[in-house]
Amino acid sequence: MSKPNLSAEVLISALEQAIDATVIIDDRNEVIFFNQAASNLWGLDKKDVLGRNVNVLVPTLHQAGHDAFVERSRGSEHNRIVGTSREVEFTRSDGEYICGELSLSKVVTDDGRIFFMGVMKNVTTESQQRKILILQNDVLQALASDMMIQDVADLLCRRVESFVPGTVAVLMLITPDGQLRVLSSPTLPKRYRASLESLYVSSSELEKLRVDPMHATRMVWDSYRSLGISLGLQQCFCTPVSTRSGQVKGIFALYAREDQGRNTWPQRIVDSCIPFCALAFEQNATQEHISHLANFDSLTGLLNRSSVHKVIEGMISKQDGNRQFAIFMLDIDRFRDINDALGHVYADQFLVEIAGRIRSIAKEDYVLSRSGGDEFVVVVPNCPHKEATAFAKHLLATMTLPMQIGQNTLTISCSIGISTYPDNGPDSESLLSTADVALRQAKEDGRGIFRFANLEKNQVAQDRLVLGSALRDSLAKGMLNLHYQPQVRTHTLELSGVEALSRWHHPHLGNIFPSRFIAVAEETGQIEAIGRWSLLEACRQIVKWDRDGIHVPTVAVNLSAVHFRNRALPEHIAALLKNHNLKPSRLTVEITESVMMDNSRDTEEVLQSIRNIGCGLSMDDFGTGYSSLSRLTRLPLTEIKIDRSFINDFEHDTNAQAVTMAVIGIGSRLGMTVVTEGVETEQQRDLLEQLNCDVMQGYLFAKPLLAPDDFEKWMRHHKTIRQMLPATPAAKNVSPKKKSS
Ligand code: C2E
Ligand code: MG
Ligand code: MG
């Protein structure tokens, strides 16, 4: 087969007329061939290119192409053309941005000379489309993942900046009141941003933007051009962002640091971003609408019940020391009649009118809510009693003005309950509940009036409301303490044990004594939790004292009647003792007379089981209830505590002395230890000593003390006092009695 006759001219003219831009360079990187298609692609004349370094075409072409090529041709034969292809970007002489796909080949001639031939395809359109697709994909994904609009805007701007080098992307939102707000502008100079944000967009400007998109450039560039230039910006490409309904909601702008000439890419990318910006704006509006629906009452536009709770909690947690406020709970008198008479549509209109009236007299910082039905709540900051009275009167008067609903003229009245923070409760729940109690009171007292929540009145109910929830919270946060009150042997003053007494200090309510909160705990179902907590705490404390060499023979814990209905109690106590490695005799359980009066089998068995474990069982406050002495004998008690009321006037009350003497006698005969509580004076102590009372407890010796500091201090002090006492009295008085079981 004969070789086809291909002369050099034929080859050159074929390359010359090739559709794709073709460039040949020699081994010194000089351009030696540049065809017509190349001339069109670069916008350069052949004569301006031939003989010049390839850098004039693509700054990175030679180096990159050479490296890639060398890698691939290693070990190849002469005369063989090996190709590689890559994407390159450059700016055409007229400024247009071009993306080309370059195939580079090395040509080695028979005489060993090396050339490189590059064939470039213009893929600008494809490349730009791909970038726009990437952008679209990213933004849609961000929107689908419920990202905040701010983050979506940041993502969009950063992407656009990376696709158009040397630019600054800015997404601006026009607020409903006409302010231009820069949502995202990762690299915009601050001064320029401030100028943009000082812009007011009137409704006529909005209309101009709608009909003429070019107006956006006038707004965000032409008026600030000199400032922009001084900050290194040269040009601006921008487009208004309109929602599907045609409303202009913002502007997306791309500022270029270099003049872009005829480059259409920046404007193209801006335009392609507009639908995503619109989508982001719409999604943002939807999110805001949803959160509005979740927080506001749809009928009146006031806050709803759950958000008024949140707002009140927020006011309480504010650390500004000026947190006093008043809550007004307002309820329309006989609303049911009004509802029936007007029908639902007019009744709604009526409620809207009421909301409007409340709004009309409220100041800016008042919190207004419709918490359901015809009940409204107004929270007024910094509102002491006098101001609260004035505002309540004002509210009542405003409500009684005649109102026109449909064909009807109505004159109505309302009742108001007022609670104040911090007096009426530590949290929103108790404050709203106490306001509600006061509101019921106002209704009861005749309607059309207001009432303040009153702590004295209905104390128990209010305690349950206010303290109940506070106690639950404190218990969960471990804010209760045990204090320990020493009990001493009458004749030797030896420490016989301590009684553990609960203490509760609340950050807003202050110190609350057990006489108040134990009843609340019982009524609100929290007493068992308190009991379990104090048993555990007491065991821990004994272990600590043992470890520190402080000898406390036994700790008495108070338990309420409900505990003894729970058959699991003895096991619970046994497990606690075991876990703390404590002898059962280290723990005494104090029961009240109501436990003793409880004839249920559960209680009897539980008491017996506790006794069987080996713990002490003490009858607290003996003499205050109705228990008979005979019943004492039927219970497995180890101790009787004569109530404080007998000791109060002990020195002068011979009846009290007689009863005490009888109880001491019986206790002694039954082998029980007799303790007297509330011993405050030396005289009382002397008398009790004469009556052979075993153990005393009272302020004369110590108040309930906090461990470790106060208690240890007392122990040291007490030890020195004991050492100063005369020699140990007769053995019969000090030896511990044998306990019956
Ligand atoms: P209680 O068990 O009879 O406790 C003795 C009360 O008398 C304590 O009051 C104590 O502080 C007080 N007291 C002691 N010595 C004197 C004194 O010399 N003079 C006077 N005037 N008072 C004295 P506190 O701590 O206020 O406790 C009151 C009651 O609350 C207790 O009476 C007990 O029934 C109950 N309590 C306390 N802590 C708990 C607990 O953790 N659980 C249960 N269920 N009840 C508890
Ligand atoms: Mg007690
Ligand atoms: Mg007592």
Side-chain angles (χ1 to χ4, degrees), residues 680-691:
E680 293 183 352
T681 66
E682 301 277 353
Q683 257 183 309
Q684 290 166 352
R685 190 192 68 187
D686 293 345
L687 266 170
L688 288 165
E689 196 174 355
Q690 285 169 29
L691 293 175

Side-chain angles (χ1 to χ4, degrees), residues 18-279:
I19 301 169
D20 292 326
T22 308
V23 183
I24 300 177
I25 59 173
D26 62 16
D27 55 357
R28 288 174 305 161
N29 302 331
E30 277 176 12
V31 180
I32 59 166
F33 181 83
F34 194 70
N35 73 357
Q36 189 53 45
S39 185
N40 296 342
L41 181 64
W42 267 277
L44 293 170
D45 216 75
K46 202 183 263 192
K47 66 177 187 326
D48 298 328
V49 180
L50 290 179
R52 296 190 55 190
N53 191 291
V54 70
N55 287 349
V56 295
L57 299 176
V58 183
T60 54
L61 169 72
H62 173 69
Q63 194 52 39
H66 187 259
D67 289 352
F69 180 81
V70 168
E71 192 56 38
R72 287 183 160 217
S73 63
R74 199 164 282 154
S76 64
E77 293 165 22
H78 282 330
N79 287 344
R80 191 165 160 207
I81 300 174
V82 181
T84 178
S85 137
R86 57 169 47 228
E87 210 163 86
V88 290
E89 290 169 4
F90 59 93
T91 310
R92 203 163 63 187
S93 65
D94 59 2
E96 184 71 85
Y97 158 93
I98 301 288
C99 180
E101 193 184 270
L102 171 72
S103 308
L104 192 71
S105 321
K106 185 183 181 185
V107 184
V108 185
T109 57
D110 289 339
D111 55 1
R113 283 189 296 152
I114 296 172
F115 299 91
F116 294 98
M117 183 169 84
V119 178
M120 179 95 91
K121 257 203 199 114
N122 187 347
V123 291
T124 311
T125 314
E126 293 88 329
S127 158
Q128 290 180 353
Q129 262 163 1
R130 204 176 56 240
K131 282 175 180 157
I132 288 169
L133 269 176
I134 294 173
L135 199 83
Q136 177 178 346
N137 206 31
D138 285 355
V139 175
L140 289 182
Q141 252 181 20
L143 288 175
S145 68
D146 270 348
M147 233 190 218
M148 301 293 294
I149 186 164
Q150 175 76 56
D151 298 329
V152 178
D154 282 351
L155 178 98
L156 183 88
C157 288
R158 290 199 182 280
R159 269 272 183 275
V160 171
E161 287 178 1
S162 78
F163 286 156
V164 192
T167 55
V168 172
V170 185
L171 179 57
M172 293 160 259
L173 183 81
I174 299 168
T175 63
D177 56 357
Q179 293 300 313
L180 198 74
R181 191 155 66 83
V182 172
L183 258 186
S184 171
S185 62
T187 56
L188 184 72
K190 277 206 188 90
R191 270 174 63 203
Y192 203 86
R193 181 188 176 129
S195 314
L196 286 178
E197 291 197 312
S198 66
L199 210 80
Y200 172 70
V201 188
S202 63
S203 50
S204 67
E205 294 274 311
L206 268 181
E207 183 54 20
K208 272 190 210 162
L209 279 173
R210 200 179 64 79
V211 295
D212 173 19
M214 291 300 290
H215 189 62
T217 319
R218 268 170 242 139
M219 280 176 64
V220 302
W221 176 243
D222 292 353
S223 1
Y224 305 108
R225 187 190 291 266
S226 52
L227 173 68
I229 290 175
S230 75
L231 295 168
L233 306 175
Q234 296 292 329
Q235 229 179 335
C236 172
F237 303 86
C238 67
T239 303
V241 181
S242 310
T243 57
R244 271 172 297 181
S245 56
Q247 281 176 298
V248 177
K249 293 286 180 193
I251 296 173
F252 184 50
L254 190 63
Y255 294 88
R257 293 207 178 85
E258 270 171 36
D259 194 329
Q260 298 290 306
R262 283 176 50 201
N263 188 3
T264 55
W265 175 224
Q267 187 62 52
R268 190 159 171 232
I269 198 163
V270 167
D271 289 343
S272 15
C273 283
I274 296 305
F276 313 141
C277 298
L279 209 60

Side-chain angles (χ1 to χ4, degrees), residues 485 499 501-503 514-515 518 527 530 534 558-560 590 620-621 644 677-680 698-699 704:
Q485 189 174 31
E499 178 177 6
L501 294 156
S502 301
R503 291 292 176 264
S515 46
I518 292 295
I527 193 66
I530 293 188
S534 41
N558 293 281
L559 292 183
S560 295
E590 289 195 9
D620 198 2
D621 303 342
R644 217 172 55 218
E677 339 180 81
V679 180
E680 293 183 352
Y699 294 169

Side-chain angles (χ1 to χ4, degrees), residues 192-375:
Y192 203 86
R193 181 188 176 129
S195 314
L196 286 178
E197 291 197 312
S198 66
L199 210 80
Y200 172 70
V201 188
S202 63
S203 50
S204 67
E205 294 274 311
L206 268 181
E207 183 54 20
K208 272 190 210 162
L209 279 173
R210 200 179 64 79
V211 295
D212 173 19
M214 291 300 290
H215 189 62
T217 319
R218 268 170 242 139
M219 280 176 64
V220 302
W221 176 243
D222 292 353
S223 1
Y224 305 108
R225 187 190 291 266
S226 52
L227 173 68
I229 290 175
S230 75
L231 295 168
L233 306 175
Q234 296 292 329
Q235 229 179 335
C236 172
F237 303 86
C238 67
T239 303
V241 181
S242 310
T243 57
R244 271 172 297 181
S245 56
Q247 281 176 298
V248 177
K249 293 286 180 193
I251 296 173
F252 184 50
L254 190 63
Y255 294 88
R257 293 207 178 85
E258 270 171 36
D259 194 329
Q260 298 290 306
R262 283 176 50 201
N263 188 3
T264 55
W265 175 224
Q267 187 62 52
R268 190 159 171 232
I269 198 163
V270 167
D271 289 343
S272 15
C273 283
I274 296 305
F276 313 141
C277 298
L279 209 60
F281 285 173
E282 275 172 31
Q283 180 146 330
N284 183 51
T286 314
Q287 277 170 357
E288 277 180 1
H289 184 61
I290 290 171
S291 92
H292 192 271
L293 284 183
N295 292 318
F296 291 85
D297 165 39
S298 58
L299 180 64
T300 60
L302 303 181
L303 289 175
N304 60 22
R305 182 191 290 272
S306 65
S307 38
V308 81
H309 267 285
K310 279 185 228 150
V311 172
I312 294 173
E313 288 301 330
M315 291 172 81
I316 291 172
S317 63
K318 243 195 250 162
Q319 297 296 331
D320 62 2
N322 198 10
R323 294 173 296 167
Q324 193 277 339
F325 59 84
I327 295 180
F328 299 79
M329 190 173 281
L330 179 152
D331 189 277
I332 310 298
D333 294 333
R334 301 195 174 81
F335 179 68
R336 187 175 298 204
D337 296 346
I338 296 170
N339 207 359
D340 291 346
L342 292 177
H344 282 308
V345 176
Y346 284 126
D348 279 358
Q349 201 179 322
F350 167 81
L351 290 171
V352 171
E353 170 70 24
I354 296 289
R357 287 186 179 198
I358 297 176
R359 265 201 197 97
S360 73
I361 62 164
K363 293 196 182 136
E364 216 170 64
D365 56 350
Y366 290 13
V367 178
L368 311 180
S369 122
R370 181 169 82 115
S371 49
D374 60 331
E375 201 172 86

Side-chain angles (χ1 to χ4, degrees), residues 522 526-535 558-570 589 595 603 606 610:
E522 281 170 349
Q526 303 183 67
I527 193 66
E528 286 205 80
I530 293 188
R532 278 194 301 274
W533 162 79
S534 41
L535 283 168
N558 293 281
L559 292 183
S560 295
V562 273
H563 286 100
F564 300 94
R565 292 282 181 103
N566 184 349
R567 283 179 170 269
L569 179 66
V589 172
V595 177
T603 299
V606 166
I610 293 174

